[in-house]
Amino acid sequence: TTGAPLPAGWVRWVDPESDEFYYHNETTGETTWDDPTRWKVGLLFDRLRGEPPKDAPLYRPRTIECAFAEYSSADTDESDGDAPVTLRVYDVSFRGAGALNSLLNGSSGAFHTAIEVHGLEWSFGATADDDDDTSGIFCCDPASAQPHRYREAISLGRTKKSPVDVFNILLRLAPFWLGE
C-alpha cells in the first residue's frame, strides 16, 4: 500500500486469490487494479476517452516505498551493486503526440523516458492526488509504462549501487519531484 490517502469515493481491497490490492470507487462503481493516487495524466485522459487497453506487459505502477517492501519481502540474494542501467524510451500516446512522433520519424517529438536499474523501471509522472506533497516518482516493470507505447532501450552502462542504495537515493529525491 502506498499510504497515500485515496481520492474521494475510492476504497482499497485485497484480492484473496492474488493477494494484490485492487481499488473500487463506491460512487461510480468502477473497479480497477490501478492505484488511483498514482494515475498519470495521460492514463487519466485515456480512461476518460474510453480507449481500450493496449497490448502491453502488465502495468503495475508502484511507489518507492511499495517497491522497496516488495524487494525486502522477496527471497533474493543482496546484489553487490554491479547492475546494468537502461534508458527506456516510449512514444507519448495521448493528445496527438503519437501522430507527431510518427510524422517526425523519431528524430524528435514527445517521448516518455524511464531508467531501469535492478529490474525496476523508474520514472516521473503527475498524480491525481490532491495532496501537494505526493511524489511523482514511481516504478513499474520494464517496458510496461502506460499509456505510452514502448519504443526502445538504450544501455547507459552499469552501476555499482546496490538495490538498497538506489531506493535510498530515490527516497532522498522524492520530496523534490512532486507529482502536482
Side-chain angles (χ1 to χ4, degrees), residues 151-166:
R151 173 182 280 263
E152 66 182 309
I154 300 168
S155 174
L156 298 178
R158 301 186 72 79
T159 182
K160 297 291 185 189
K161 300 290 184 190
S162 73
V164 172
D165 291 337
V166 171

Side-chain angles (χ1 to χ4, degrees), residues 71 77-86 115-122 142 159-167:
Y71 168 78
D77 293 332
E78 175 68 23
S79 170
D80 64 359
D82 186 35
V85 179
T86 305
I115 299 293
E116 178 187 349
V117 62
H118 294 293
L120 291 175
E121 182 178 297
W122 295 95
T159 182
K160 297 291 185 189
K161 300 290 184 190
S162 73
V164 172
D165 291 337
V166 171
F167 284 119

